[in-house]
Amino acid sequence: MVVWVRHGLALDRLAVPIVLAPLAGGPSTPELTAAVSNAGGFGFLAAGYLAASALAERLERTRTLTEAPVGVNLFVPGTPAPPQAVDAYAARLAEDAAQAGVELGGARFDDDDWAAKLELLIAMPVAVVSFTFGCPEPEVIDRLQGAGSEVWVTVTGPDEARAAVDAGADALVVQGAEAGGHRASFRDDPAEDPTGGIGLLSLLQLVGAQADLPLVATGGIATGGAVAAVLAAGAAAAQLGTAFLGCPEAGTAAVHRQALAGSAPTAMTRAFTGRLARGIRNRFLDRHSAAAPVAYPEVNHLTAPLRHAGRITGDPGLVNLWAGQSYELGRPLPAGQLVRALAEEARAALQQAQERLGRPADAGAEDEGSAAERP
Ligand SMILES: Cc1cc2nc3c(=O)[nH]c(=O)nc-3n(C[C@H](O)[C@H](O)[C@H](O)COP(=O)(O)O)c2cc1C
């Protein structure tokens, strides 16, 4: 039997310090997860939007494809939004729905099958369980650790990092504002919007200065040079999302792949899901971002038929085209090949940096001497 849970941090055992981000909503597949872990990186399976039974099937399938450790990512549930805010937004979307020939979805609140997925992960432990949109209670973290998993918590600011350390996390996923998809913040607070969020390099330094835990850097990393940069800034690994969306193993929709091959700018929006996320600008995002309420997952359910229609009819203007700020640098390679190419580039980038920095002071003095002799 394959032993998926081992002792010591998963990060310390990686042949390549590259993590496949959980990519909920279609792109995450067992094939993608296994390909990254088989290449010596660390693959996550996204559990967001999946019922516990669907997650169990995906985990079983992943186990047939790799013996290497993998992780599962869960969304921490929030609280229901005031119904009036969602009703007003639904009225606004009626015209889009009529044009697309669909009915809007029911704007219901749910907890994403939280308790059942936790029980599944206690019964079928994986090497790492990571959390997004909040920090679980210390008892939940204890239970998962007791089952043999380590717990990573995604943070977007120093205050969230402190809370995750206090709750007993084993590592922090540090998400910069460049990141594609949802901002992982514990609370989605529009009052914070004008700050634009904290960029990855700043956040790594701020969190690193106060949290004595391994850090996994994520947001806008598309090249080996950027992998090297975050390692040099103290991260134990780099977690990439958008960079893997073009891989053949990913379940990324065709309209999304086409948009990733273009060059339109990205923007932050609540228009598709009711929670702040970064995607490539399109018709729906531009039309509705300013009016979209904080109401997740209600708005996600409301817009689901529109997004589905966009995917099947090939209309990118209706689809949430999640992408990080450096998406234009994506390479549609098989995932294992991409992991190896990124690692090779990172080694070269670090060597170049080393050469740039590595001359000892006295060698510099000798150079100065010889420079003085130059005409
Ligand atoms: C399509 C897509 C889906 C995502 N789904 C999740 C998810 O399920 N859980 C999560 O923690 N982060 C999710 N993210 C965010 C990633 O974990 C990560 O923070 C982000 O991809 C990093 O920025 P990058 O896309 O520029 O690499 C998603 C990102 C994208 C692009």
Side-chain angles (χ1 to χ4, degrees):
M1 186 189 135
V2 177
V3 180
W4 271 28
V5 180
R6 300 194 179 89
H7 299 287
L9 275 186
L11 287 168
D12 296 335
R13 295 187 305 270
L14 292 182
V16 180
I18 291 178
V19 176
L20 162 69
L23 298 167
S28 176
T29 61
E31 288 72 17
L32 183 61
T33 305
V36 170
S37 286
N38 284 337
F42 189 82
F44 269 99
L45 256 187
Y49 317 129
L50 296 182
S53 53
L55 174 61
E57 279 168 26
R58 288 184 187 214
L59 266 176
E60 293 288 5
R61 166 117 189 99
T62 309
R63 287 184 177 197
T64 66
L65 300 172
T66 184
E67 299 195 351
V70 301
V72 168
N73 171 260
L74 296 183
F75 292 158
V76 178
T79 49
Q84 322 75 276
V86 187
D87 291 346
Y89 192 58
R92 193 188 159 87
L93 301 188
E95 196 184 317
D96 299 72
Q99 273 169 10
V102 299
E103 285 195 12
L104 292 172
R108 64 181 197 285
F109 176 81
D110 66 55
D111 69 359
D112 207 29
D113 217 7
W114 168 252
K117 283 191 275 203
L118 280 177
E119 289 312 317
L120 174 74
L121 292 171
I122 300 290
M124 269 178 94
V126 291
V128 176
V129 180
S130 77
F131 291 92
T132 300
F133 302 155
C135 183
E137 295 298 317
E139 302 75 59
V140 170
I141 295 181
D142 279 353
R143 278 191 77 203
L144 289 165
Q145 289 169 335
S149 298
E150 56 191 74
V151 173
W152 300 1
V153 175
T154 313
V155 301
T156 60
D159 47 344
E160 293 176 353
R162 274 190 296 277
V165 170
D166 291 348
D170 296 294
L172 304 178
V173 180
V174 175
Q175 188 200 48
E178 303 91 331
H182 284 111
R183 183 162 291 169
S185 45
F186 291 8
R187 242 166 37 90
D188 182 16
D189 183 357
E192 300 286 319
D193 290 4
T195 69
I198 306 178
L200 180 58
L201 204 49
S202 297
L203 190 58
L204 262 183
Q205 296 169 85
L206 291 168
V207 172
Q210 52 173 266
D212 194 17
L213 285 183
L215 306 181
V216 177
T218 193
I221 302 171
T223 59
V227 172
V230 297
L231 296 178
Q239 176 173 293
L240 286 68
T242 302
F244 286 102
L245 291 178
C247 296
E249 299 93 335
T252 312
V255 279
H256 198 169
R257 287 180 191 267
Q258 278 154 20
L260 290 165
S263 59
T266 67
M268 299 301 292
T269 184
R270 294 185 179 85
F272 295 102
T273 67
R275 211 182 206 285
L276 204 60
R278 183 179 296 283
I280 298 173
R281 281 181 62 184
N282 64 359
R283 195 171 75 242
F284 192 88
L285 185 153
D286 285 344
R287 199 183 281 173
H288 299 300
S289 291
V294 176
Y296 176 90
E298 291 91 337
V299 170
N300 191 45
H301 293 308
L302 183 72
T303 66
L306 281 171
R307 291 181 280 119
H308 180 68
R311 281 193 292 267
I312 58 170
T313 63
D315 178 0
L318 284 175
V319 180
N320 54 315
L321 304 168
W322 293 161
Q325 283 181 326
S326 56
Y327 79 89
E328 286 174 64
L329 299 172
R331 290 164 267 187
L333 295 172
Q337 228 173 297
L338 181 58
V339 168
R340 286 186 286 274
L342 288 165
E344 198 48 49
E345 287 169 16
R347 279 183 213 107
L350 282 175
Q351 196 177 342
Q352 226 180 348
Q354 176 67 42
E355 281 163 16
R356 187 89 181 78
L357 281 166
R359 296 190 310 171
D362 50 352
E366 272 171 33
D367 278 3
E368 262 170 43
S370 52
E373 286 159 23
R374 275 187 221 132

